Amino acid sequence: MDLAASNRVTFGEAVRVFAKVGLLSFGGPAGQISLMHRILVDEKRWIDDARFLHALNYCMLLPGPEAMQLATYVGWLLHGVRGGLVAGLLFVLPGAVVITLLSAVYLLLGDVPVVDGLLFGMKAAVLAIVLDALIRISSRALQDGAAVAIAVAAFAAIAFLKLPFPVIIAVAALYGAVAGHRQPANLRGAMPDAGARPGIASFLSTVAVWTVIWFAPLAFIALLLGPEHVYAAEAGFFSKVAMVTFGGAYAVLAYVAQQAVDIHHWLKPDEMLTGIGLAETTPGPLILVLVFVGFLGGARLSGFDPLVGGLGGALVTLWFTFVPCFLWIFAGAPYVETVRNIRWLASALAAVTAAVVGVIANLAIWFGLHVLFATVGEVSVGPLALPLPEWGSIDLAAVAIALAAAVALVRFKANMLAVLGAAMVAGMVLSGF
């Protein structure tokens, strides 16, 4: 389907519209997808409801930020690879520039009392944002007892057994795929094919080209700076993250925090909350929080000037986080109708989504303990590792801000940016006492 021809969408007009989408894409994936639907479907009528939802369903199957990949998909429909590149880049780059600048400000001014107070309030509010995300996702994902059991098992595996996030996702997907084969055949009619699928040669060439684009810089960094350099470590780590971020950014943040804090020592536990708060205030996908992680790692461990090292870390993170998204779309989109109707794959995705709920629950508890308590220990009970906060170290001001933010978001559905702003002001005021 040649959407550009049928709708006379010029490349210049597509660039302008996707730039607008990128600059206005606040509010997480739900808000970003709603924004694209309003602009691309309702206002511009470049794509109809059926094709928009069809594209969205495919993007939900993929690792990575689904809203960014949806923009790339629509851009690809309009103007091929160059349209997909422009749409995806314009969705990411405005927020990437902003969070890189905010990371530099944090690095330079993080110890200023006023900035400390603002960040203190922001961290407490982020707890409420994670809780709100957990409620919304669980209400959609946990529709039966099997889904609840998967979520509980995933929570126990990552919280108490410390199993790696990719292992949990792989096991959930395998279980779902096996269960899907045992279900009755899907009685719904298949959606009409969007067009002729390319041959295997086209698929393989696309995969080969984008795999080289993805990994060639990693080889270059390892040869130039050594495989142990922080940039090489970030390139390898964020490449792995790009392949396992099913279920959105919240689902993978606990895994990233565990590795970045405990293994690589790129940042401190409470700084992950700072990064999430900064990412929440910028346009673009929440996964841009990884740019903050990469910036701090580069600033502290690269051996260069902190700002130069941080900028290098941010660029490395951006490349290895988002280049894979273009691979998934350009290689897989031509086969999207076939993938859409594979029953076992849909069942596997449902199991992964349920596991994501358990992972996000662990994220909420992990962050909550580190922001509400000054001291958090750990006690071993057989194979289990249980967190043990020191109750005398509880921060009542953080508790008050987190509770107020949770009530505003969950009960009154308040605007997220307004809640973050109010929490930052409250943090600045309360930290003075």
Side-chain angles (χ1 to χ4, degrees):
M1 180 179 181
D2 188 350
L3 293 179
S6 64
N7 293 279
R8 296 181 177 85
V9 181
T10 66
F11 184 71
E13 185 180 6
V15 170
R16 289 191 295 274
V17 169
F18 281 111
K20 177 182 178 182
V21 169
L23 290 169
L24 298 178
S25 57
F26 293 92
Q32 293 157 0
I33 291 168
S34 298
L35 172 72
M36 281 189 281
H37 186 275
R38 188 174 75 245
I39 293 176
L40 301 176
V41 178
D42 296 337
E43 295 178 7
K44 298 296 182 180
R45 301 185 183 278
W46 288 352
I47 184 172
D48 60 25
D49 248 333
R51 289 300 294 278
F52 184 88
L53 293 175
H54 186 55
L56 176 59
N57 285 336
Y58 172 62
C59 293
M60 292 293 291
L61 291 170
L62 302 173
E66 62 267 29
M68 178 264 188
Q69 290 173 151
L70 177 60
T72 304
Y73 186 100
V74 177
W76 172 78
L77 283 175
L78 292 170
H79 287 284
V81 171
R82 68 169 183 161
L85 278 172
V86 165
L89 290 174
L90 288 175
F91 191 88
V92 168
L93 289 182
V97 171
V98 172
I99 198 165
T100 300
L101 293 174
L102 291 175
S103 300
V105 171
Y106 173 78
L107 180 71
L108 296 175
L109 303 177
D111 292 328
V112 175
V114 172
V115 176
D116 285 344
L118 292 173
L119 294 176
F120 168 74
M122 182 175 64
K123 292 173 189 176
V126 167
L127 291 180
I129 293 172
V130 175
L131 175 63
D132 184 51
L134 176 62
I135 293 172
R136 287 186 286 104
I137 294 173
S138 61
S139 66
R140 296 194 301 266
L142 306 184
Q143 298 294 324
D144 54 36
V148 172
I150 293 172
V152 172
F155 172 80
I158 196 168
F160 304 139
L161 297 176
K162 306 299 182 184
L163 292 182
F165 176 78
V167 172
I168 295 171
I169 292 300
V171 171
L174 179 61
Y175 171 83
V178 172
H181 278 297
R182 298 173 180 172
Q183 294 173 355
N186 191 349
L187 299 179
R188 294 178 297 171
M191 294 181 63
D193 204 348
R197 288 185 291 275
I200 189 65
S202 176
F203 172 78
L204 292 177
S205 64
T206 300
V207 170
V209 167
W210 280 95
T211 299
V212 170
I213 293 173
W214 180 358
F215 287 108
L218 174 56
F220 177 76
I221 291 171
L223 288 173
L224 182 66
L225 300 174
E228 303 302 320
H229 192 271
V230 64
Y231 290 165
E234 288 181 343
F237 176 69
F238 291 120
S239 292
K240 181 165 61 174
V241 168
M243 293 185 283
V244 300
T245 49
F246 294 95
Y250 282 116
V252 78
L253 288 182
Y255 169 62
V256 171
Q258 178 194 44
Q259 297 291 310
V261 174
D262 299 333
I263 306 300
H264 297 291
H265 308 294
W266 294 333
L267 70 170
K268 304 168 188 174
D270 63 323
E271 286 181 327
M272 195 68 190
L273 283 169
T274 300
I276 297 174
L278 294 178
E280 292 281 10
T281 63
T282 63
L286 180 61
I287 201 68
L288 283 172
V289 65
L290 300 185
V291 174
F292 176 80
V293 176
F295 185 98
L296 290 187
R300 291 167 175 169
L301 299 173
S302 67
F304 303 127
D305 174 82
L307 286 179
V308 174
L311 179 60
L315 291 174
V316 167
T317 304
L318 271 174
W319 186 272
F320 291 96
T321 298
F322 291 103
V323 164
C325 297
F326 295 108
L327 169 59
W328 313 145
I329 294 298
F330 296 148
Y335 299 90
V336 64
E337 303 299 341
T338 301
V339 172
R340 174 83 159 84
N341 293 288
I342 297 177
R343 188 173 69 252
W344 65 264
L345 189 56
S347 179
L349 177 65
V352 168
T353 304
V356 161
V357 174
V359 173
I360 295 176
N362 172 65
L363 172 70
I365 293 175
W366 190 89
F367 281 161
L369 290 175
H370 283 90
V371 77
L372 300 181
F373 296 90
T375 304
V376 180
E378 190 173 84
V379 59
S380 296
V381 180
L384 306 181
L386 307 179
L388 184 64
E390 184 179 313
W391 290 97
S393 68
I394 192 169
D395 190 328
L396 296 180
V399 172
I401 295 174
L403 283 176
V407 171
L409 288 170
V410 178
R411 176 66 180 84
F412 296 104
K413 311 298 180 186
N415 179 272
M416 183 183 64
L417 291 178
V419 172
L420 273 174
M424 291 168 71
V425 172
M428 184 175 61
V429 172
L430 291 177
S431 65
F433 296 96

